[in-house]
């Protein structure tokens, strides 16, 4: 078995691969309870050993190249070599291989896609040096055909404005994306001139190094933060659409794989899905997913993708009858059951659920979640019913990677954003049998084929991981966890 590791970056993670099977994958933060934890810990390693013992390690990037870039950028070169960290964690005896950061992203996407050939686009803030890369992948392997290097980075542009708007860079980019729907992209053309000397797609050149943010930018026109967010989002979408069109016109495959942290931008993803019919975005396309990608980059073998439920197991019966009874009584229900989601989103195994109908659904949920009022919640819906309620850009969306216009926004205001779109999770039996059964019984009793779904976490903490975490949540909130 090979252990893939992402570490010393935001969101450390591990994945255990046995031949073509991903047997376990998890985020470090879920065990340390520190959001976006960059280090590994003894608890995650203890959990890994329940699934097997690795014989070697593949690290998701090349430390020497990263050190060099950090030196070039005026940062400390490398504060802890991976070998040293592994030794501290009792894994020092294992041989270790290193693969490239963008190569890990590309391989994680292509080798889990099920495609025999694909064009692969990777866009993130920064790897060792790469910030955008385009690959041609087929039975002979993957070949990089185009790349852009630091300090030119469209991801850093987005992250710099995340920071500018008072949000946490490398973590709260999704909030900027949500804010964008409330604004108008009045500064998009200005940003393209002020921040870029060249803006095409895939090619571009930044006028400034944005690694340390852009707080120096003077908002002379006093443009409100929602219009700024809309403008940043518009620039990102235009770049990605241009780039994907370029790929379509220049590379032979009919299949597109999109990876890197920017592939978490589900609004942009929906526009990309209009260009390519066959799009695969691994459910954890950012650096944490590269724990799987690193192994794929090293073995160059296809992996059988069956599920994102790859983490800690809470092996208990799920009392679906009682859950549905509570939902029918208008209650918010907490579920912590089965294996934890590998990826940023709760997909039914560590979720808070409630009836999405009516004007009060959102405030009911917010009594527990206590988050910004402007942010909507997502719907989880029986897959075959999705088209009736949403204008779906893709046939199936089991990992909440795309947004779709809701056909009945007045009936479901809690799951609709201000622009009447929803980040839809479609559920069929193969995706998650227990969650599917729950939705089926809910539909049978209520006539409503969807539930409002959000992550089960204590504010400021990562998703609930173990049953002990779930019990702590229960004590704090006075709500039973199923
Ligand atoms: Fe990355």
């Amino acid at each position: 078995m090979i252990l893939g590791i992402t570490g010393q970056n935001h969101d450390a993670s591990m994945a255990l691969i046995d031949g073509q099977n991903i047997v376990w994958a998890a985020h470090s933060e879920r065990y340390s309870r520190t959001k976006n934890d960059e280090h590994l810990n003894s608890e995650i390693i203890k959990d890994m050993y329940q699934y097997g013992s690795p014989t070697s390690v593949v690290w998701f990037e090349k430390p020497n190249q990263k050190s060099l870039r950090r030196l070039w950028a005026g940062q400390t070169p490398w504060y802890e070599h991976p070998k040293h960290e592994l030794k501290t964690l009792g894994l020092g005896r294992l041989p270790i291989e290193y693969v490239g950061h963008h190569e890990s992203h590309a391989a994680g996407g292509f080798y889990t896609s099920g495609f025999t050939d694909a064009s692969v686009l990777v866009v993130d803030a920064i790897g060792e040096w790469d910030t955008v890369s385009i690959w041609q992948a087929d039975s002979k392997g993957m070949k990089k055909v185009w790349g852009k290097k630091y300090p030119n980075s469209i991801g850093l542009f987005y992250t710099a404005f995340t920071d500018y708007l008072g949000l946490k860079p490398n973590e709260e980019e999704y909030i900027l994306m949500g804010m964008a729907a409330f604004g108008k992209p009045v500064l998009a053309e200005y940003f393209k001139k002020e921040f870029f000397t060249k803006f095409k797609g895939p090619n571009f050149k930044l006028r400034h190094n944005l690694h340390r943010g852009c707080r120096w930018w003077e908002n002379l026109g006093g443009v409100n933060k929602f219009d700024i967010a809309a403008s940043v989002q518009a620039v990102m979408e235009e770049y990605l659409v241009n780039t994907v069109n370029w790929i379509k016109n220049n590379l032979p495959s009919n299949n597109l794989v999109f990876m890197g942290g920017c592939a978490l931008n589900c609004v942009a993803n929906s526009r990309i899905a209009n260009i390519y019919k066959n799009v695969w975005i691994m459910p954890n396309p950012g650096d944490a997913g590269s724990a799987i990608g690193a192994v794929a980059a090293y073995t160059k073998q296809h992996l059988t993708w069956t599920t994102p439920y790859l983490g800690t197991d809470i092996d208990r019966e799920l009392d679906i009858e009682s859950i549905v009874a509570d939902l029918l009584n208008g209650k918010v229900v907490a579920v912590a059951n089965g294996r934890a989601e590998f990826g940023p989103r709760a997909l039914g195994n560590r979720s808070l659920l409630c009836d999405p109908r009516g004007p009060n659904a959102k405030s009911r949920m917010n009594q527990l979640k206590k988050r910004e009022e402007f942010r909507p919640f997502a719907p989880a819906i029986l897959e075959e019913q999705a088209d009736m309620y949403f204008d779906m850009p893709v046939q199936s969306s089991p990992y909440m990677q795309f947004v779709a216009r809701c056909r009945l926004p007045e009936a479901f205001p809690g799951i609709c954003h201000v622009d009447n779109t929803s980040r839809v999770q479609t559920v069929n039996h193969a995706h998650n049998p227990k969650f599917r059964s729950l939705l089926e019984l809910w539909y049978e009793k209520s006539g409503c084929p969807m539930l409002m779904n959000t992550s089960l976490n204590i504010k400021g903490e990562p998703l609930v991981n173990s049953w002990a975490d779930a019990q702590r949540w229960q004590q704090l909130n006075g709500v039973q966890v199923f």
Side-chain angles (χ1 to χ4, degrees):
M1 282 194 200
I2 305 179
L3 178 64
I5 299 181
T6 289
Q8 300 186 22
N9 205 345
H10 51 93
D11 211 359
S13 65
M14 299 174 109
L16 204 52
I17 313 286
D18 185 11
Q20 293 192 303
N21 298 318
I22 307 163
V23 290
W24 168 89
H27 297 252
S28 197
E29 61 164 25
R30 310 278 163 88
Y31 301 83
S32 67
R33 310 307 301 153
T34 303
K35 233 176 160 183
N36 289 90
D37 198 342
E38 62 193 42
H39 291 290
L40 302 167
N41 54 68
S42 54
E43 289 302 306
I44 188 173
I45 289 167
K46 212 160 94 188
D47 198 24
M48 171 199 75
Y49 277 124
Q50 298 205 43
Y51 294 88
S53 295
T55 49
S56 62
V57 169
V58 185
W59 189 265
F60 81 117
E61 61 184 9
K62 297 187 174 174
N64 292 344
Q65 283 187 32
K66 181 150 178 184
S67 288
L68 203 64
R69 192 263 298 157
R70 286 175 66 93
L71 263 178
W72 190 90
Q75 297 171 285
T76 51
W78 190 264
Y79 47 96
E80 190 179 5
H81 196 280
K83 269 190 178 164
H84 182 251
E85 181 164 9
L86 292 189
K87 204 171 160 190
T88 317
L89 292 162
L91 298 171
R93 67 195 155 76
L94 297 175
I96 179 165
E97 299 285 346
Y98 304 95
V99 288
H101 185 116
H102 269 225
E103 195 184 359
S104 291
H105 278 311
F110 176 59
Y111 289 115
T112 58
S113 69
F115 297 145
T116 50
D117 63 85
S119 304
V120 184
L121 170 63
V122 180
V123 187
D124 63 5
I126 185 168
E128 294 94 351
W129 289 93
D130 285 337
T131 63
V132 179
S133 62
I134 297 171
W135 308 68
Q136 220 176 318
D138 55 29
S139 57
K140 291 186 227 112
M142 299 192 318
K143 192 175 86 188
K144 186 172 158 187
V145 293
W146 192 86
K148 197 69 176 168
K149 291 196 188 310
Y150 175 86
N152 291 298
S153 167
I154 192 85
L156 278 182
F157 167 75
Y158 204 92
T159 292
F161 271 99
T162 303
D163 173 65
Y164 186 89
L165 292 174
L167 302 167
K168 254 194 202 164
N170 292 317
E171 191 178 315
E172 295 187 330
E173 280 73 8
Y174 69 99
I175 300 181
L176 186 156
M177 185 186 71
M179 287 167 66
F182 287 86
K184 289 193 175 61
V186 292
L187 292 175
E189 289 306 312
Y190 163 79
F191 280 165
K192 278 158 53 184
K193 289 194 184 80
E194 171 66 25
F195 286 91
F196 297 82
T197 54
K198 194 187 289 172
F199 185 89
K200 276 188 169 174
N203 206 6
F204 68 97
K205 200 169 187 320
L206 276 176
R207 201 180 283 279
H208 318 276
N209 185 342
L210 301 177
H211 201 161
R212 292 190 172 83
C214 63
R215 292 190 196 181
W216 46 264
W217 175 66
E218 290 185 75
N219 182 7
L220 295 173
V223 176
N224 75 63
K225 60 183 182 178
F226 294 105
D227 285 352
I228 293 174
S231 305
V232 171
Q233 175 68 17
V235 170
M236 173 59 94
E237 284 180 37
E238 184 177 337
Y239 175 76
L240 291 175
V241 166
N242 287 353
T243 300
V244 171
N245 275 321
W246 181 89
I247 293 170
K248 194 163 192 198
N249 292 332
N250 288 279
L251 298 183
S253 180
N254 289 322
N255 306 314
L256 182 78
V257 170
F258 181 29
M259 292 292 290
C262 298
L264 287 162
N265 193 312
C266 49
V267 179
N269 291 349
S270 299
R271 294 190 62 186
I272 288 171
N274 286 329
I275 304 170
Y276 271 88
K277 212 172 128 221
N278 303 324
V279 180
W280 170 251
I281 301 168
M282 199 184 82
N284 201 354
D287 286 356
S290 286
I292 292 173
V295 177
Y298 180 69
T299 62
K300 300 179 180 20
Q301 266 187 19
H302 286 276
L303 297 168
T304 312
W305 181 266
T306 52
T307 180
Y309 306 98
L310 291 160
T312 290
D313 196 8
I314 298 180
D315 187 12
R316 305 175 82 241
E317 284 290 310
L318 187 62
D319 185 355
I320 287 170
E321 300 273 345
S322 299
I323 291 174
V324 171
D326 278 2
L327 290 168
L328 287 166
N329 283 327
K331 290 185 183 169
V332 175
V333 171
V335 172
N337 195 281
R339 292 186 67 178
E341 292 86 347
F342 182 56
R345 292 172 187 132
L347 299 169
N349 283 8
R350 303 289 186 277
S351 285
L352 276 176
L353 307 167
C354 80
D355 186 344
R357 295 171 296 184
N360 299 324
K362 196 168 165 182
S363 57
R364 259 200 321 262
M365 195 65 109
N366 252 332
Q367 279 171 7
L368 289 171
K369 285 292 285 189
K370 300 178 184 73
R371 67 181 202 184
E372 298 92 336
E373 258 315 306
F374 70 85
R375 288 169 54 200
F377 293 102
I381 186 166
L382 294 169
E383 184 165 275
E384 66 279 11
Q385 302 253 7
D387 274 331
M388 276 172 61
Y389 292 85
F390 301 97
D391 186 10
M392 296 293 292
V394 287
Q395 284 210 317
S396 165
S397 175
Y399 314 123
M400 289 168 66
Q401 294 169 310
F402 302 92
V403 294
R405 197 161 296 279
C406 181
R407 298 187 197 279
L408 299 165
E410 303 81 19
F412 302 99
I415 50 114
C416 290
H417 207 12
V418 64
D419 56 1
N420 289 338
T421 60
S422 304
R423 200 169 60 183
V424 180
Q425 179 191 359
T426 60
V427 183
N428 69 25
H429 190 78
H431 297 147
N432 189 333
K434 281 186 186 173
F435 194 34
R436 171 76 193 191
S437 302
L438 196 169
L439 272 167
E440 282 176 357
L441 187 64
W442 164 246
Y443 179 50
E444 188 190 312
K445 303 275 186 191
S446 71
C448 174
M450 65 179 111
L451 284 168
M452 187 185 268
N453 174 20
T454 189
S455 53
L456 181 66
N457 62 319
I458 295 163
K459 195 161 173 60
E461 285 195 19
L463 273 179
V464 157
N465 197 44
S466 63
W467 187 242
D469 298 334
Q471 285 173 313
R472 195 159 57 86
W473 186 94
Q474 185 170 298
Q475 268 179 1
L476 280 167
N477 292 284
V479 174
Q480 186 190 351
V481 182
F482 287 90

Short mmCIF file of all heavy atoms in Angstrom, two decimals, residues 311-343:
data_model
loop_
_atom_site.label_atom_id
_atom_site.label_comp_id
_atom_site.label_asym_id
_atom_site.label_seq_id
_atom_site.Cartn_x
_atom_site.Cartn_y
_atom_site.Cartn_z
N GLY A 311 -13.22 8.75 4.84
CA GLY A 311 -12.53 9.06 6.09
C GLY A 311 -12.99 8.20 7.26
O GLY A 311 -13.42 7.06 7.09
N THR A 312 -12.91 8.77 8.45
CA THR A 312 -13.27 8.09 9.70
C THR A 312 -14.67 7.49 9.63
O THR A 312 -15.60 8.12 9.13
CB THR A 312 -13.25 9.12 10.86
OG1 THR A 312 -11.91 9.48 11.10
CG2 THR A 312 -13.86 8.56 12.13
N ASP A 313 -14.78 6.28 10.17
CA ASP A 313 -16.07 5.59 10.13
C ASP A 313 -16.82 5.76 11.46
O ASP A 313 -16.25 5.52 12.52
CB ASP A 313 -15.82 4.09 9.85
CG ASP A 313 -17.09 3.39 9.41
OD1 ASP A 313 -18.11 4.08 9.17
OD2 ASP A 313 -17.07 2.16 9.28
N ILE A 314 -18.06 6.18 11.39
CA ILE A 314 -18.95 6.09 12.55
C ILE A 314 -19.92 4.97 12.20
O ILE A 314 -20.88 5.16 11.46
CB ILE A 314 -19.70 7.41 12.83
CG1 ILE A 314 -18.69 8.53 13.15
CG2 ILE A 314 -20.69 7.24 13.97
CD1 ILE A 314 -19.32 9.89 13.45
N ASP A 315 -19.60 3.80 12.72
CA ASP A 315 -20.31 2.58 12.31
C ASP A 315 -21.52 2.35 13.23
O ASP A 315 -21.42 1.64 14.23
CB ASP A 315 -19.33 1.40 12.35
CG ASP A 315 -19.95 0.13 11.80
OD1 ASP A 315 -21.03 0.22 11.18
OD2 ASP A 315 -19.37 -0.95 12.01
N ARG A 316 -22.62 2.98 12.93
CA ARG A 316 -23.83 2.85 13.75
C ARG A 316 -25.04 2.72 12.83
O ARG A 316 -25.00 3.15 11.69
CB ARG A 316 -24.03 4.12 14.62
CG ARG A 316 -22.87 4.49 15.48
CD ARG A 316 -23.12 5.80 16.22
NE ARG A 316 -23.92 5.62 17.43
CZ ARG A 316 -25.10 6.16 17.65
NH1 ARG A 316 -25.64 6.94 16.75
NH2 ARG A 316 -25.76 5.95 18.78
N GLU A 317 -26.09 2.17 13.38
CA GLU A 317 -27.36 2.14 12.65
C GLU A 317 -27.86 3.57 12.47
O GLU A 317 -27.65 4.42 13.34
CB GLU A 317 -28.40 1.37 13.47
CG GLU A 317 -28.22 -0.15 13.43
CD GLU A 317 -28.56 -0.73 12.07
OE1 GLU A 317 -29.64 -0.41 11.54
OE2 GLU A 317 -27.72 -1.50 11.55
N LEU A 318 -28.53 3.85 11.36
CA LEU A 318 -29.11 5.17 11.18
C LEU A 318 -30.64 5.04 11.29
O LEU A 318 -31.26 4.33 10.49
CB LEU A 318 -28.72 5.76 9.81
CG LEU A 318 -29.12 7.21 9.56
CD1 LEU A 318 -28.44 8.15 10.56
CD2 LEU A 318 -28.76 7.63 8.14
N ASP A 319 -31.20 5.69 12.29
CA ASP A 319 -32.64 5.58 12.57
C ASP A 319 -33.42 6.53 11.65
O ASP A 319 -33.82 7.63 12.05
CB ASP A 319 -32.89 5.89 14.05
CG ASP A 319 -34.35 5.68 14.43
OD1 ASP A 319 -35.18 5.38 13.54
OD2 ASP A 319 -34.66 5.83 15.63
N ILE A 320 -33.62 6.06 10.41
CA ILE A 320 -34.22 6.92 9.38
C ILE A 320 -35.66 7.33 9.74
O ILE A 320 -36.08 8.47 9.52
CB ILE A 320 -34.14 6.21 8.01
CG1 ILE A 320 -32.67 6.25 7.54
CG2 ILE A 320 -35.03 6.86 6.98
CD1 ILE A 320 -32.38 5.38 6.35
N GLU A 321 -36.41 6.37 10.33
CA GLU A 321 -37.82 6.67 10.71
C GLU A 321 -37.88 7.85 11.68
O GLU A 321 -38.69 8.77 11.49
CB GLU A 321 -38.45 5.44 11.40
CG GLU A 321 -38.50 4.18 10.56
CD GLU A 321 -39.75 4.12 9.69
OE1 GLU A 321 -40.68 4.90 9.97
OE2 GLU A 321 -39.77 3.31 8.73
N SER A 322 -37.02 7.83 12.69
CA SER A 322 -37.05 8.92 13.68
C SER A 322 -36.59 10.24 13.06
O SER A 322 -37.12 11.30 13.39
CB SER A 322 -36.14 8.59 14.87
OG SER A 322 -36.60 7.42 15.50
N ILE A 323 -35.61 10.15 12.16
CA ILE A 323 -35.12 11.38 11.51
C ILE A 323 -36.26 12.02 10.73
O ILE A 323 -36.52 13.23 10.85
CB ILE A 323 -33.93 11.07 10.56
CG1 ILE A 323 -32.70 10.66 11.38
CG2 ILE A 323 -33.61 12.26 9.67
CD1 ILE A 323 -31.52 10.20 10.54
N VAL A 324 -36.95 11.22 9.94
CA VAL A 324 -38.03 11.76 9.11
C VAL A 324 -39.17 12.30 9.99
O VAL A 324 -39.75 13.35 9.69
CB VAL A 324 -38.52 10.71 8.09
CG1 VAL A 324 -39.78 11.18 7.38
CG2 VAL A 324 -37.41 10.43 7.06
N ALA A 325 -39.43 11.61 11.10
CA ALA A 325 -40.48 12.11 12.02
C ALA A 325 -40.10 13.49 12.55
O ALA A 325 -40.94 14.40 12.59
CB ALA A 325 -40.66 11.12 13.18
N ASP A 326 -38.84 13.67 12.92
CA ASP A 326 -38.38 14.99 13.41
C ASP A 326 -38.47 16.04 12.31
O ASP A 326 -38.88 17.18 12.56
CB ASP A 326 -36.93 14.90 13.91
CG ASP A 326 -36.85 14.36 15.34
OD1 ASP A 326 -37.92 14.05 15.91
OD2 ASP A 326 -35.74 14.26 15.88
N LEU A 327 -38.08 15.65 11.11
CA LEU A 327 -38.13 16.60 9.98
C LEU A 327 -39.57 17.05 9.74
O LEU A 327 -39.84 18.22 9.48
CB LEU A 327 -37.55 15.98 8.70
CG LEU A 327 -36.03 15.74 8.69
CD1 LEU A 327 -35.64 14.86 7.50
CD2 LEU A 327 -35.27 17.06 8.61
N LEU A 328 -40.50 16.08 9.82
CA LEU A 328 -41.91 16.40 9.60
C LEU A 328 -42.45 17.35 10.67
O LEU A 328 -43.38 18.11 10.45
CB LEU A 328 -42.74 15.12 9.55
CG LEU A 328 -42.56 14.27 8.28
CD1 LEU A 328 -43.15 12.88 8.47
CD2 LEU A 328 -43.19 14.96 7.06
N ASN A 329 -41.81 17.28 11.87
CA ASN A 329 -42.21 18.20 12.95
C ASN A 329 -41.50 19.54 12.85
O ASN A 329 -41.52 20.34 13.80
CB ASN A 329 -41.90 17.56 14.31
CG ASN A 329 -42.94 16.51 14.66
OD1 ASN A 329 -44.10 16.64 14.29
ND2 ASN A 329 -42.52 15.46 15.33
N GLY A 330 -40.81 19.77 11.75
CA GLY A 330 -40.16 21.07 11.54
C GLY A 330 -38.82 21.23 12.23
O GLY A 330 -38.30 22.33 12.35
N LYS A 331 -38.25 20.10 12.69
CA LYS A 331 -36.97 20.21 13.40
C LYS A 331 -35.78 20.16 12.46
O LYS A 331 -35.86 19.59 11.36
CB LYS A 331 -36.84 19.04 14.41
CG LYS A 331 -37.77 19.13 15.58
CD LYS A 331 -37.47 18.00 16.55
CE LYS A 331 -38.45 18.03 17.71
NZ LYS A 331 -38.34 16.81 18.51
N VAL A 332 -34.66 20.72 12.92
CA VAL A 332 -33.39 20.54 12.23
C VAL A 332 -32.77 19.27 12.79
O VAL A 332 -32.75 19.06 14.00
CB VAL A 332 -32.45 21.75 12.48
CG1 VAL A 332 -31.08 21.50 11.86
CG2 VAL A 332 -33.06 23.02 11.89
N VAL A 333 -32.28 18.40 11.91
CA VAL A 333 -31.75 17.09 12.33
C VAL A 333 -30.25 17.03 12.05
O VAL A 333 -29.79 17.44 10.98
CB VAL A 333 -32.48 15.96 11.57
CG1 VAL A 333 -31.81 14.62 11.83
CG2 VAL A 333 -33.94 15.90 11.98
N ALA A 334 -29.50 16.51 13.02
CA ALA A 334 -28.05 16.34 12.84
C ALA A 334 -27.73 14.88 12.57
O ALA A 334 -28.23 13.99 13.26
CB ALA A 334 -27.34 16.80 14.11
N VAL A 335 -26.92 14.65 11.56
CA VAL A 335 -26.52 13.27 11.20
C VAL A 335 -25.00 13.16 11.21
O VAL A 335 -24.30 13.96 10.58
CB VAL A 335 -27.06 12.89 9.79
CG1 VAL A 335 -26.49 11.55 9.34
CG2 VAL A 335 -28.57 12.85 9.77
N ALA A 336 -24.49 12.18 11.96
CA ALA A 336 -23.05 11.84 11.90
C ALA A 336 -23.00 10.32 11.79
O ALA A 336 -23.16 9.61 12.79
CB ALA A 336 -22.33 12.33 13.15
N ASN A 337 -22.85 9.84 10.58
CA ASN A 337 -22.99 8.40 10.35
C ASN A 337 -22.17 7.96 9.15
O ASN A 337 -22.10 8.67 8.14
CB ASN A 337 -24.48 8.09 10.11
CG ASN A 337 -24.76 6.61 10.24
OD1 ASN A 337 -24.50 5.85 9.32
ND2 ASN A 337 -25.29 6.20 11.38
N GLY A 338 -21.55 6.79 9.25
CA GLY A 338 -20.77 6.26 8.14
C GLY A 338 -19.42 6.96 8.03
O GLY A 338 -18.97 7.64 8.97
N ARG A 339 -18.80 6.82 6.88
CA ARG A 339 -17.44 7.36 6.73
C ARG A 339 -17.47 8.84 6.34
O ARG A 339 -18.31 9.28 5.55
CB ARG A 339 -16.66 6.52 5.72
CG ARG A 339 -16.41 5.12 6.29
CD ARG A 339 -15.53 4.30 5.42
NE ARG A 339 -14.17 4.81 5.34
CZ ARG A 339 -13.20 4.23 4.65
NH1 ARG A 339 -13.45 3.11 4.00
NH2 ARG A 339 -11.99 4.75 4.62
N ALA A 340 -16.54 9.58 6.90
CA ALA A 340 -16.51 11.04 6.71
C ALA A 340 -16.17 11.40 5.27
O ALA A 340 -15.43 10.69 4.59
CB ALA A 340 -15.48 11.66 7.64
N GLU A 341 -16.71 12.51 4.83
CA GLU A 341 -16.44 13.03 3.50
C GLU A 341 -14.97 13.45 3.36
O GLU A 341 -14.44 14.13 4.23
CB GLU A 341 -17.32 14.26 3.21
CG GLU A 341 -18.81 13.98 3.08
CD GLU A 341 -19.57 13.97 4.40
OE1 GLU A 341 -18.93 13.94 5.48
OE2 GLU A 341 -20.82 13.99 4.37
N PHE A 342 -14.32 13.02 2.27
CA PHE A 342 -12.98 13.53 1.93
C PHE A 342 -13.21 14.68 0.96
O PHE A 342 -13.53 14.46 -0.21
CB PHE A 342 -12.14 12.42 1.30
CG PHE A 342 -10.73 12.86 0.96
CD1 PHE A 342 -9.90 13.39 1.94
CD2 PHE A 342 -10.22 12.73 -0.32
CE1 PHE A 342 -8.60 13.79 1.66
CE2 PHE A 342 -8.92 13.12 -0.63
CZ PHE A 342 -8.11 13.66 0.36
N GLY A 343 -13.07 15.89 1.46
CA GLY A 343 -13.39 17.07 0.65
C GLY A 343 -14.04 18.10 1.54
O GLY A 343 -14.39 17.81 2.69
#
